[in-house]
Amino acid sequence: MRVTLSVIKADVGGYVGHSSMHEALIERATEVLAEARDRGLVYDFRVLNVGDDLELIMTHGRGADNPEIHGLAWKAFEAATEVAKGLKLYGAGQDLLSDAFSGNVRGMGPGCAEMTFEERRSEPVIVFMADKTSAGSAFNLPLYRMFADPFNTAGLVISEALNSGFNFEVHDVLEHRKIIFSCPEELYGLLAFIGSPLRYAVKAVYSRGTGEVAAVTSTERLSLIAGRYVGKDDPVMIVRAQGEFPAVGEVLEAFSHPHLVEGWMRGSHHGPLMPVGFKDARCTRFDGPPRLVAAGFQVSEGRLIGPVDLFGDPAFDKARELALTVADYIRRHGPFEPHRLPMEEMEYTTLPKLMQKLRDRWLPIEAPVPTGGF
Ligand code: F6R
Ligand code: MG
Ligand code: MG
């Protein structure tokens, strides 16, 4: 059976502030999607959240970028926005950048990761959802680990099904172009780009053996779309596991090291990406630290069997502890880089507006220092 798995997300109102999600939004979005399931538009769905982001996970038979599926997601976000407005939740409707839906959520605020595949005899998939960070930042390094690093993924070395390698599709989000790296041969070239994750984001990974899609991420950059600071992209990613792909445990292992990502408070700081269980998907300290949840499903004839809360496990306690230690350490830098993002990235925050105010105060180095107050 051919199935499309679409994960479409948006922040349509936070509770409290930007920290978490009110249950009423999940309930409202669930009503909208249940109605669509009843009339056969989607096979199945789940509505989850990470922090203040509402996550619609849908299976259907209509392929990626389908106007009806995107329209359904938009409708669910609009309905949830109405609820958010009614409760005066924070930033109600924040990520819906336009009033007029035009057939596809891409470029309109929500983030989107979709993949279509012929269901295997058994189809384990993992949906990763992050808050207070961006796609390249959250997923480039772990995707490299999963699909290219034998120190992470034993199967690359010892399983025939994996050792033909993987193709990485990398997007240049500033120039709107892409490049494919064929690994392991082109590992160094791949790393030369994806090591700069704010510009170069891994969009998808494919098995070289079968050509099958292995992973897809959302690479929408809210600030580039809106032309101003709106909040972080808070990306999602779908990864298929087992057989010709890394095992579930190899996929998850890539997050056992809480690497530094951009985002956190005011989208302006580096901090560790902390893998958490569903019950801890709530951004508190300094609006973070950036968080990641992993929902595991078996896809069965288009139905979603799950989710299993894959990071809700003591095996990730050490990663969380390290994340908290790193958070403590880096927080002591206050407004200094490298905790705060470099100047070029601050362009996409609220800082430039403030700097405008001081524009006329600059003097040539040679000028005498003015006396008195300002
Ligand atoms: C980061 C984020 C929050 C807000 C912060 C200020 O992605 O959403 O850290 O930037 O809480 O929010 P405002 O400006 O809405 O008061
Ligand atoms: Mg928010
Ligand atoms: Mg968010």
Side-chain angles (χ1 to χ4, degrees), residues 51-82:
D52 57 6
D53 289 279
L54 190 60
E55 312 275 348
L56 314 179
I57 302 170
M58 300 171 282
T59 50
H60 54 93
R62 289 161 198 258
D65 289 317
N66 179 271
E68 284 180 89
I69 298 297
H70 282 230
L72 171 63
W74 191 263
K75 195 172 145 196
F77 291 140
E78 279 186 334
T81 297
E82 283 315 305

Side-chain angles (χ1 to χ4, degrees), residues 67 107 173 234 267 335:
V173 295
D234 303 339

Side-chain angles (χ1 to χ4, degrees), residues 9-12 18 52-53 74 93-98 105-112 131-135 173-174 198 218-235 262 267 345 348-349:
K9 52 85 34 186
D11 175 353
V12 292
H18 290 282
D52 57 6
D53 289 279
W74 191 263
Q94 173 189 290
D95 285 359
L96 307 186
L97 299 179
S98 161
V105 298
R106 289 183 208 279
M108 301 193 73
C112 178
D131 191 27
K132 306 292 185 269
T133 185
S134 63
V173 295
L174 293 188
L198 299 188
S218 63
T219 47
E220 287 75 20
R221 291 286 307 269
L222 256 182
S223 52
L224 300 182
I225 295 167
R228 63 189 157 88
Y229 177 68
V230 199
K232 270 296 160 206
D233 314 325
D234 303 339
E262 63 130 21
E345 277 304 314
Y348 302 110
T349 71

Side-chain angles (χ1 to χ4, degrees), residues 118-289:
E118 193 65 43
E119 236 182 69
R120 293 172 290 166
R121 201 147 56 89
S122 179
E123 188 64 63
V125 299
I126 306 177
V127 177
F128 291 94
M129 296 157 274
D131 191 27
K132 306 292 185 269
T133 185
S134 63
S137 209
F139 299 135
N140 280 9
L141 173 54
L143 279 170
Y144 165 75
R145 287 228 171 90
M146 277 173 225
F147 292 100
D149 180 3
F151 281 74
N152 180 91
T153 298
L156 292 170
V157 180
I158 63 179
S159 163
E160 207 187 349
L162 273 78
N163 112 341
S164 47
F166 290 90
N167 284 333
F168 286 72
E169 178 182 330
V170 175
H171 286 198
D172 175 345
V173 295
L174 293 188
E175 295 287 331
H176 200 72
R177 53 183 189 162
K178 67 182 174 190
I179 181 169
I180 315 294
F181 289 102
S182 191
C183 294
E185 290 84 349
E186 297 189 306
L187 272 184
Y188 297 163
L190 171 73
L191 288 170
F193 289 94
I194 69 169
S196 292
L198 299 188
R199 173 153 184 189
Y200 302 100
V202 179
K203 178 68 190 174
V205 180
Y206 303 89
S207 162
R208 290 204 307 194
T210 60
E212 281 289 304
V213 62
V216 173
T217 70
S218 63
T219 47
E220 287 75 20
R221 291 286 307 269
L222 256 182
S223 52
L224 300 182
I225 295 167
R228 63 189 157 88
Y229 177 68
V230 199
K232 270 296 160 206
D233 314 325
D234 303 339
V236 291
M237 169 167 79
I238 308 169
V239 181
R240 296 169 80 190
Q242 306 295 150
E244 71 211 85
F245 307 119
V248 167
E250 289 167 332
V251 174
L252 298 175
E253 177 68 8
F255 294 98
S256 59
H257 172 73
H259 66 292
L260 289 171
V261 296
E262 63 130 21
W264 207 348
M265 175 58 76
R266 297 179 187 278
S268 314
H269 295 81
H270 286 117
L273 183 63
M274 184 160 79
V276 293
F278 295 164
K279 71 172 178 41
D280 296 317
R282 189 185 320 111
C283 291
T284 54
R285 182 180 178 188
F286 202 54
D287 282 2

Side-chain angles (χ1 to χ4, degrees), residues 260-262 264 268-271 329-331 333-342:
L260 289 171
V261 296
E262 63 130 21
W264 207 348
S268 314
H269 295 81
H270 286 117
Y329 171 80
I330 201 158
R331 274 277 45 237
H333 293 75
F336 283 79
E337 298 177 14
H339 184 24
R340 197 176 80 180
L341 300 188

